[in-house]
Each structure stands twice: as C-alpha cells, then as structure tokens.
Amino acid sequence: MISKLFSFLYAKVFVNIVVESSQSVVYVEVCSKKKVERSTHKYFATTTLNTHMYEFIAALYKESPFCYISILDKSPNQGVLPTCTTSEMGKYCDISALEHRCYSNEWAFYTSEYDLEATKQDYRNIGVDFIFSPFVLLAKFFKDKIENTLSIFVLVESNSLSFMVFDHGKLLYGEYLTMQNNKEHNALMIGSPLDDELGDDAEMDGINLEDITIGDDSSGFEDFATIEDLDAGDIIEEFSQAAPLDEVVHEKEEHVSSSGFNEDYQRFVLIQGALSTFYKDSKYKSQFVESIYVADGVGVSLDLKNYLEEEIFLSVYIRKIDLAAALCDLAKAEV
C-alpha cells in the first residue's frame, strides 16, 4: 500500500541499455502518471559500464526511487524453441545450462545462465532489473505480421541477427546469428561481386527448392521478454501491410561505406545459412517461405534488400526500429 502511494508521488525512470559494436546507447524515459515527461538518448564510447556511464545513470537514481534498468541480451548462446513443453525442448538443444521462459505458452526463448550472471556482474554497480531477449522485442515489433503471414522475421543489430520463421502465429524455427567483426573478413569481401562468391549456377547454400518437403502445422509460440513473460499487447505501432516497399527503405543508402557493404553481405550470408538449416533439418516442419520482414536497428543499405530479392527470391519489407526505445516499451509493460 505504501509503495503504491509513493509510486504516485514519484516519477518512474526507465534506463535502457543497448550495447553495440563499439559503443553503448542509453535511452532514458521519465514517466509521470503514464505520461512521458522527457526522454533522451545518450551515447558512450564503451561496451562496458565505464565511469561516464555510471555517473550519468547514478544521477538518475537521485530523481526517483523508482528507477528501472533494462538491457538487451547479447549472449551468443541464446535462441528460441518451437515448443513450450520442457520435455520436448531436449529434441532441439541441451537446456541444462540455459534459462528459458515461454512466450504466451506457445514457444520458448532461452539464454545462457552463465552469460546472464556475467551481465548482472558487469552492471552490478547500477543493478539490472530486466534482461530482455531480442526475440521478444522482434515478436512484439512485428506482432500483426507474425499472426497473419508465413514469413521470415529478422532483427538487425550492429553485430548480430535474430532470425525467426512464423506460420500464422506458430514458430517454426529461430536462431541467433552473430557477425564476424574483423578486418580480414571484410577485406576478403571488398570488390568481390556476389555472383563470384556464389558462382553462376550456385544454389542457395546447397538448397534445392524442389527437395523441400512441406510439413504440417508446427508447434506454436508467442510472448517473451526479460526471462519473465509479458502480457502487454502491441508495444510498437505496426506499419501497414499494404505499405509500398519504397517507403521503408532508408534515404542515405547511396552513402554506405565499403564496411557497410561488407556487413550487409555478411547479414545476407547469415540469413541464407539459417534459411538453409530450416529447410534441411528434419527436426523442423519446413515450409517454403516467400517473404521476409526486417526490423532494422542499424541502418542497412539497399544491398541487403537486393541480395535477398535477387539471390533467394524473397519479397523484402524493411522497417527501421529504435532498439533502445523499443526496449523501454518492454520495460514499461513489465512494470
């Protein structure tokens, strides 16, 4: 009762941290009586909690006793499973060292227990209230599309991709994909046309579309977040399904650097490989997919769209996402 009284007297401060390749983005919302009083993005040239970030966040604690710290999970040992039944999860991976939660009792998301504890330890000086899965963020962002289409859904971060395949609300497959961040890898791809990499008659990483077998409806899936279930509805306004594709392509694509080109080629190769696994692995109920929805958190180039359209023959829909702000929406729904 007393805590509820104080919650009306004080604003709620939501601090949301997204770690990128070479910096951390901290997005803050100060909310009072369900209104956003102010918000700000702050960028720190570090991938850990340094002195400047600590001082910035510590000052926010002085504004209100209701201060919530959220971070987007970066563990390479995370993923999703097309079942929420513990006895069936072993068919897909060893869950003995994993922390998992169900999303609306349909599918499960998991992450490494060790990495969870490491994250809490890294931010122990400020405390962490929520560690959210990127798969939950992606599922919330494209909620309407997931429920009404058979499509691939991808969340693009600076050095990772969250890849999921849904058939009208049922999770068929998912994978967390990490990118290589080294100059040697980039140098190998500079000036190498895509056709040279794949060969004139190459198939998609060994995929023969004629060999694909279409399974029955797969097991279901739906809500996920910190390592606690979310009951909130749509968090982010969805774009119209009929929206022209040109409207969701970014404006400055002609200025993309060679490193940006190489990163998008890496992303294409990762998506291609994940799709190949989905089609070939007998554990999953493969179905032929014709469209892909991309939540772009970094500003991809037009090259990625072209690769996916021309090499895998997918219809591509790209929508920009503010990862830190979307993370804040998850935290507010949780609180």
Side-chain angles (χ1 to χ4, degrees):
M1 184 69 180
I2 295 177
S3 61
K4 288 184 178 180
L5 175 61
F6 275 99
S7 67
F8 285 105
L9 298 176
Y10 291 95
K12 291 183 176 67
V13 180
F14 294 91
V15 181
N16 310 276
I17 303 170
V18 175
V19 180
E20 299 181 345
S21 298
S22 58
Q23 68 174 2
S24 294
V25 182
V26 179
Y27 174 70
V28 179
E29 275 193 15
V30 179
C31 302
S32 178
K33 295 181 180 179
K34 298 185 178 181
K35 287 185 177 181
V36 178
E37 299 294 335
R38 71 176 193 276
S39 63
T40 183
H41 285 83
K42 189 81 171 177
Y43 300 85
F44 298 89
T46 179
T47 57
T48 59
L49 180 66
N50 65 7
T51 301
H52 294 299
M53 189 191 302
Y54 170 78
E55 291 175 348
F56 174 73
I57 295 174
L60 296 170
Y61 274 100
K62 298 177 181 179
E63 296 190 25
S64 171
F66 298 96
C67 190
Y68 303 95
I69 309 294
S70 303
I71 190 166
L72 192 61
D73 190 9
K74 301 297 292 185
S75 170
N77 302 305
Q78 62 177 302
V80 290
L81 301 170
T83 180
C84 200
T85 304
T86 305
S87 60
E88 295 180 0
M89 292 179 183
K91 299 176 183 178
Y92 303 98
C93 68
D94 181 4
I95 64 170
S96 59
L98 302 174
E99 184 81 17
H100 68 273
R101 291 290 184 273
C102 287
Y103 187 100
S104 292
N105 294 318
E106 296 289 342
W107 51 273
F109 58 94
Y110 65 82
T111 192
S112 161
E113 291 179 350
Y114 175 85
D115 292 339
L116 274 179
E117 291 305 316
T119 299
K120 293 176 184 177
Q121 187 68 15
D122 290 342
Y123 294 89
R124 63 188 181 280
N125 289 331
I126 58 171
V128 175
D129 295 287
F130 306 113
I131 300 175
F132 287 99
S133 165
F135 291 102
V136 170
L137 193 152
L138 177 61
K140 291 291 185 181
F141 191 71
F142 282 129
K143 186 175 186 293
D144 288 346
K145 304 299 178 289
I146 284 172
E147 292 177 350
N148 297 295
T149 65
L150 166 61
S151 299
I152 301 165
F153 296 86
V154 175
L155 176 67
V156 178
E157 297 182 62
S158 59
N159 53 11
S160 66
L161 302 174
S162 299
F163 178 99
M164 306 173 85
V165 181
F166 284 99
D167 180 13
H168 293 81
K170 293 182 179 296
L171 178 65
L172 302 183
Y173 178 76
E175 187 176 355
Y176 187 74
L177 308 165
T178 54
M179 295 176 60
Q180 298 182 34
N181 289 307
N182 61 74
K183 294 181 180 179
E184 290 182 4
H185 182 83
N186 288 340
L188 287 173
M189 296 198 305
I190 293 176
S192 298
L194 182 60
D195 291 341
D196 292 342
E197 294 287 341
L198 297 177
D200 293 337
D201 301 317
E203 295 175 342
M204 185 181 65
D205 195 26
I207 296 176
N208 186 337
L209 298 181
E210 295 180 357
D211 293 337
I212 299 171
T213 57
I214 308 301
D216 297 328
D217 287 344
S218 72
S219 52
F221 84 92
E222 198 211 314
D223 200 89
F224 145 119
T226 76
I227 295 305
E228 293 182 21
D229 294 339
L230 292 180
D231 296 323
D234 238 339
I235 292 179
I236 301 171
E237 181 182 356
E238 305 294 330
F239 62 90
S240 169
Q241 190 164 2
L245 187 59
D246 291 341
E247 292 184 6
V248 294
V249 176
H250 308 307
E251 298 177 356
K252 297 184 179 180
E253 290 152 344
E254 65 273 19
H255 301 301
V256 174
S257 65
S258 60
S259 62
F261 166 83
N262 290 330
E263 288 174 352
D264 281 337
Y265 182 74
Q266 286 187 61
R267 292 179 180 114
F268 161 71
V269 171
L270 289 172
I271 292 170
Q272 182 187 51
L275 186 56
S276 176
T277 300
F278 168 62
Y279 283 149
K280 290 181 176 181
D281 195 325
S282 60
K283 293 194 298 290
Y284 303 100
K285 297 180 180 180
S286 301
Q287 298 197 47
F288 181 64
V289 185
E290 297 181 325
S291 59
I292 181 170
Y293 290 85
V294 178
D296 175 18
V298 298
V300 299
S301 73
L302 187 61
D303 292 316
L304 178 62
K305 175 177 174 289
N306 291 338
Y307 294 153
L308 295 170
E309 287 180 338
E310 297 171 10
E311 302 300 327
I312 316 183
F313 310 110
L314 293 170
S315 297
V316 183
Y317 304 91
I318 300 176
R319 184 184 180 190
K320 196 166 182 64
I321 181 173
D322 184 328
L323 292 170
L327 189 66
C328 185
D329 287 331
L330 292 178
K332 288 191 291 186
E334 193 71 13
V335 170

